C-alpha cells in the first residue's frame, strides 16, 4: 500500500491520449504476436479436450457406455471458440493469450454439467437419444454461440477501449435505469424466488438487466473518476494514521450507497446491492489509492445491511425478504424442509462430494433446488469434490489476475480504472454467489459467471472478457509493430 498523500498517484496520472494507429494485418504479424496467438490456440484446444473428457465421463457413468454423441457439444464449442480466436488474431493480436482458454473451459464445463442435469431428468431409455440442443444444456450451448458472437462483434468494431468513454454519461444513465427497472415492475413480471431482478416477456423469454447494467456503470465510474480523482484524493484530516477525505467529497459515494440500498430493499437482493456498491468503491480506491475510501465503503454498506435487518424485524414490509434470508443464513436447520431447504441441500451436496467427488454423472445434484443456476457450484461440488472446486476457483482467480495485469500495464487512466473495475467485479460476483451457497454470507440472487444457466449473465460476462481483451491488447502492443503502446 502506498503512503497516503494529497495528490493523485503517478500510476493514475493523466497521459497524452495518442490516437490509435491501425493494427498490422494478421499476415504481417511479427514473431511475438504469432507466438502469443499460438499459445492461445494450444491452450484453447487443451481446454476443449478437457470439456470433451468431462462429457465422456458423464456418459460413462449415466449410460454405462460412451456414445459418439459426447463429441457434438464439444465440437460446437470448439468451433465457436476457434472463430473467436481468429477474430482476436485479426483485431487484437497482442491480447492476453490466457483469458479466452480459461473462460472457454469454465463455459464448456457449465454446458457439460447442464447437459448432465438434462440426462438426469430424462428417462433412462430416452437418455441416449437426447438432442444436442435439448434442455438446459442445449439452451446454454445456444446462448454460448450468441454470447461469443457478441464478444467478437465488440472486438471487431471497438478498436480502442477509450472510445467507450465518449458515451460514458449515456451508459451511466442507461445503467441506472436498468438497475432500478425491475424494482418498479409488477412482481409477476420481475420476481423470481423472492428477488426482483428479472424482466420476463410472455413467460417464454427473460433477461436480467442488472448483468448489463454493471458494465455500463463501470464505464461511467471509470470516466467520472478519471476526471474527479484529484478532488477525491484530497485529504481532510488524519485519524489512526489514515487520511480521510473531506465531508463535501463524500457526495458520489453517498449517492451510489443510497442506490445500492434501494436495490437491497426493493429488489430484495443482497448480492446485486453489494456488487454495485463494491465495484464503485474499489474503482474509487484504484483511482485515489486511499485506503480510507475502502473503510468508508465497508462501514456504509455493512451499516446499511444491519439497519435493513433491524427494520425487517421492527417494520417488515420491503425489508421482510432480506430479514428472512439473514435468518436462514444464521440457522438453516431451523426449518430444514421449508425456508432452509435450499441451503441445507447445498451443504449436504458439498459434504457428500468430499475431497474427490463421486465422479461426473455419478452424484445426485438434482436433489439441490435451483442447481441449474444459483446452486450450480454445490451440484458440481458433489461430483468433482473439493479438489475440483478448488481448481475451478483457481480458474476464476487466473481470469481476475490477468485482468488486473492488463490494468497495471495499460498506460491511459481510463483503461486502468475500467480493467481494474471489470476484474474486481468478476471476482466479487464469484464471491457473493459462492459465499451464499457455502453459507459464508446470506443467499444472493447472483449467477455463477460462465457456469449457471441463463443468457443475460453469459452474454454480459463475455462482453466483459472482450473489454479485457481489448485493454490487454492496448497494454501489450509494442511500438515497434507500428501500433501505439497506450
Amino acid at each position: 500500500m502506498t503512503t497516503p498523500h494529497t495528490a493523485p498517484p503517478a500510476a493514475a496520472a493523466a497521459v497524452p491520449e495518442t490516437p490509435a494507429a491501425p493494427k498490422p494485418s494478421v499476415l504481417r504479424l511479427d514473431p511475438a504476436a504469432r507466438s502469443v496467438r499460438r499459445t492461445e490456440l494450444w491452450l484453447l484446444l487443451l481446454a476443449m479436450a478437457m470439456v470433451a473428457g468431462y462429457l465422456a465421463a458423464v456418459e460413462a457413468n449415466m449410460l454405462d457406455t460412451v456414445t459418439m454423441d459426447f463429441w457434438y457439444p464439444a465440437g460446437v464449442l470448439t468451433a465457436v471458440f476457434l472463430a473467436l480466436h481468429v477474430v482476436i488474431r485479426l483485431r487484437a493480436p497482442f491480447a492476453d493469450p490466457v483469458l479466452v482458454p480459461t473462460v472457454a473451459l469454465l463455459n464448456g464445463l457449465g454446458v457439460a454439467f447442464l447437459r448432465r442435469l438434462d440426462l438426469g431428468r430424462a428417462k433412462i431409455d430416452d437418455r441416449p437419444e437426447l438432442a444436442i440442443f435439448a434442455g438446459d444444456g442445449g439452451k446454454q450451448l445456444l446462448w454460448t454461440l450468441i454470447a461469443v458472437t457478441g464478444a467478437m462483434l465488440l472486438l471487431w468494431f471497438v478498436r480502442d477501449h477509450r472510445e467507450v468513454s465518449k458515451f460514458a454519461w449515456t451508459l451511466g444513465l442507461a445503467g441506472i435505469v436498468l438497475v432500478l427497472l425491475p424494482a418498479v415492475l409488477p412482481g409477476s413480471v420481475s420476481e423470481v424466488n423472492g428477488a426482483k431482478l428479472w424482466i420476463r416477456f410472455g413467460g417464454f423469454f427473460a433477461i436480467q438487466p442488472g448483468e448489463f447494467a454493471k458494465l455500463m456503470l463501470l464505464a461511467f465510474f471509470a470516466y467520472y473518476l478519471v476526471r474527479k480523482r484529484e478532488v477525491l484524493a484530497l485529504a481532510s484530516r488524519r485519524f489512526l494514521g489514515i487520511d480521510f477525505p473531506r465531508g463535501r467529497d463524500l457526495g458520489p459515494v453517498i449517492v451510489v450507497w443510497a442506490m445500492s440500498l434501494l436495490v437491497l430493499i426493493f429488489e430484495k437482493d443482497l448480492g446485486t446491492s453489494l456488487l454495485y456498491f463494491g465495484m464503485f468503491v474499489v474503482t474509487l480506491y484504484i483511482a485515489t489509492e486511499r485506503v480510507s475510501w475502502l473503510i468508508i465503503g465497508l462501514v456504509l454498506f455493512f451499516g446499511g445491511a444491519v439497519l435493513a435487518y433491524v427494520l425487517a424485524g421492527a417494520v417488515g414490509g420491503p425489508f421482510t425478504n432480506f430479514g428472512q434470508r439473514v435468518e436462514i443464513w444464521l440457522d438453516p436447520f431451523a426449518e430444514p424442509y421449508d425456508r432452509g431447504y435450499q441451503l441445507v441441500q447445498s451443504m449436504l451436496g458439498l459434504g457428500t462430494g468430499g475431497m474427490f467427488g463421486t465422479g461426473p454423472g455419478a452424484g445426485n445434484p438434482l436433489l439441490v433446488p435451483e442447481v441449474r443456476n444459483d446452486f450450480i457450484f454445490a451440484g458440481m461440488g458433489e461430483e468433482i469434490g473439493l479438489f475440483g472446486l478448488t481448481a475451478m476457483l483457481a480458474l476464476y482467480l487466473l481470469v481476475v489476475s490477468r485482468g488486473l495485469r492488463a490494468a497495471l500495464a495499460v498506460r491511459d487512466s481510463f483503461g486502468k480504472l475500467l480493467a481494474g473495475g471489470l476484474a474486481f467485479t468478476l471476482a466479487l460476483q464469484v464471491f457473493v454467489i459462492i459465499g451464499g451457497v457455502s453459507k459464508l454470507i446470506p443467499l444472493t440472487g447472483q449467477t455463477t459467471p460462465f457456469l449457471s444457466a441463463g443468457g443475460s449473465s453469459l452474454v454480459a460476462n463475455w462482453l466483459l472478457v472482450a473489454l479485457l481483451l481489448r485493454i490487454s491488447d492496448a497494454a501489450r502492443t509494442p511500438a515497434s509493430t507500428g501500433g501505439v503502446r497506450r
Side-chain angles (χ1 to χ4, degrees):
M1 188 66 62
T2 59
T3 304
H5 45 72
T6 58
V15 297
E17 304 291 346
T18 309
K23 291 295 178 63
S25 168
V26 70
L27 298 178
R28 295 183 283 109
L29 288 182
D30 66 3
R34 288 198 298 269
S35 175
V36 168
R37 301 277 62 85
R38 191 182 304 115
T39 299
E40 179 183 78
L41 177 60
W42 285 112
L43 289 175
L44 187 56
L45 293 176
L46 176 62
M48 291 300 97
M50 295 175 67
V51 172
Y54 190 97
L55 288 164
V58 166
E59 287 201 355
N61 283 317
M62 300 195 71
L63 306 179
D64 293 326
T65 185
V66 178
T67 69
M68 291 305 297
D69 291 347
F70 83 92
W71 280 109
Y72 298 151
V76 173
L77 289 171
T78 302
V80 70
F81 292 137
L82 286 178
L84 175 59
H85 170 75
V86 171
V87 171
I88 294 173
R89 276 182 173 265
L90 292 169
R91 291 300 201 187
F94 288 94
D96 194 307
V98 177
L99 277 172
V100 168
T102 306
V103 174
L105 177 56
L106 289 168
N107 195 163
L109 290 175
V111 171
F113 183 73
L114 290 172
R115 182 169 175 82
R116 177 259 175 273
L117 295 179
D118 294 333
L119 289 172
R121 295 189 190 98
K123 296 179 180 179
I124 296 179
D125 293 339
D126 296 336
R127 289 176 180 176
E129 306 301 326
L130 187 66
I132 181 176
F133 286 105
D136 291 327
K139 291 179 182 177
Q140 191 75 349
L141 186 58
L142 182 59
W143 275 116
T144 300
L145 301 179
I146 297 172
V148 177
T149 300
M152 289 189 285
L153 291 174
L154 189 149
L155 286 171
W156 191 269
F157 291 106
V158 180
R159 300 298 302 275
D160 188 337
H161 62 273
R162 292 170 296 183
E163 296 175 4
V164 178
S165 65
K166 299 176 183 178
F167 309 97
W169 287 98
T170 303
L171 291 173
L173 178 61
I176 292 174
V177 171
L178 289 178
V179 168
L180 300 180
L181 187 58
V184 300
L185 293 175
S188 59
V189 176
S190 61
E191 187 168 341
V192 176
N193 296 328
K196 299 187 66 175
L197 299 174
W198 297 86
I199 300 178
R200 289 200 295 269
F201 300 92
F204 301 100
F205 178 70
I207 63 170
Q208 195 169 350
E211 291 288 344
F212 301 99
K214 69 183 181 185
L215 300 180
M216 298 178 181
L217 291 174
L218 268 174
F220 172 73
F221 292 159
Y223 173 85
Y224 176 82
L225 292 174
V226 164
R227 283 148 182 78
K228 299 294 184 180
R229 65 184 182 277
E230 293 184 7
V231 174
L232 297 172
L234 292 175
S236 175
R237 64 179 60 185
R238 179 177 288 264
F239 179 70
L240 296 178
I242 300 174
D243 286 332
F244 285 88
R246 299 174 301 182
R248 61 178 177 270
D249 298 329
L250 292 174
V253 180
I254 299 299
V255 170
V256 179
W257 174 69
M259 188 177 72
S260 70
L261 284 185
L262 290 175
V263 172
L264 176 65
I265 295 169
F266 293 103
E267 296 189 1
K268 308 172 186 178
D269 185 65
L270 173 66
T272 302
S273 175
L274 176 59
L275 183 66
Y276 294 144
F277 187 61
M279 68 186 189
F280 176 72
V281 171
V282 168
T283 308
L284 178 56
Y285 168 70
I286 295 173
T288 63
E289 289 190 22
R290 291 202 172 278
V291 71
S292 56
W293 285 115
L294 294 180
I295 296 174
I296 292 170
L298 290 173
V299 170
L300 284 174
F301 182 81
F302 287 110
V306 171
L307 177 62
Y309 177 67
V310 172
L311 291 175
V315 179
F319 303 96
T320 302
N321 183 271
F322 177 67
Q324 291 175 347
R325 292 201 176 202
V326 173
E327 291 172 359
I328 293 171
W329 169 60
L330 293 173
D331 187 10
F333 289 94
E335 298 180 53
Y337 297 104
D338 189 13
R339 294 192 304 178
Y341 184 74
Q342 283 185 315
L343 188 54
V344 167
Q345 290 299 314
S346 172
M347 292 189 293
L348 290 176
L350 290 171
T352 302
M355 296 295 290
F356 302 101
T358 59
N364 294 290
L366 289 171
L367 295 177
V368 182
E370 301 299 331
V371 69
R372 60 186 290 274
N373 40 45
D374 291 21
F375 287 86
I376 194 169
F377 195 77
M380 295 188 74
E382 180 183 356
E383 298 194 339
I384 64 177
L386 179 61
F387 281 2
L389 291 181
T390 302
M392 193 168 292
L393 289 176
L395 293 176
Y396 283 113
L397 180 61
L398 184 59
V399 176
V400 172
S401 65
R402 288 288 174 160
L404 294 176
R405 183 175 178 178
L408 291 172
V410 73
R411 293 184 60 190
D412 70 283
S413 303
F414 176 75
K416 284 182 179 295
L417 295 183
L418 182 58
L422 290 170
F424 174 79
T425 299
L426 180 63
L428 184 58
Q429 187 168 348
V430 172
F431 168 77
V432 296
I433 182 60
I434 294 178
V437 168
S438 60
K439 197 182 171 296
L440 181 63
I441 62 174
L443 288 172
T444 69
Q446 290 294 309
T447 56
T448 310
F450 308 110
L451 289 178
S452 297
S456 302
S457 175
L458 196 59
V459 172
N461 284 309
W462 267 109
L463 292 177
L464 183 152
V465 171
L467 287 171
L468 287 178
L469 287 169
R470 173 55 64 211
I471 296 171
S472 71
D473 178 59
R476 296 162 62 98
T477 301
S480 61
T481 63
V484 177
R485 186 176 177 84
R486 293 154 290 188

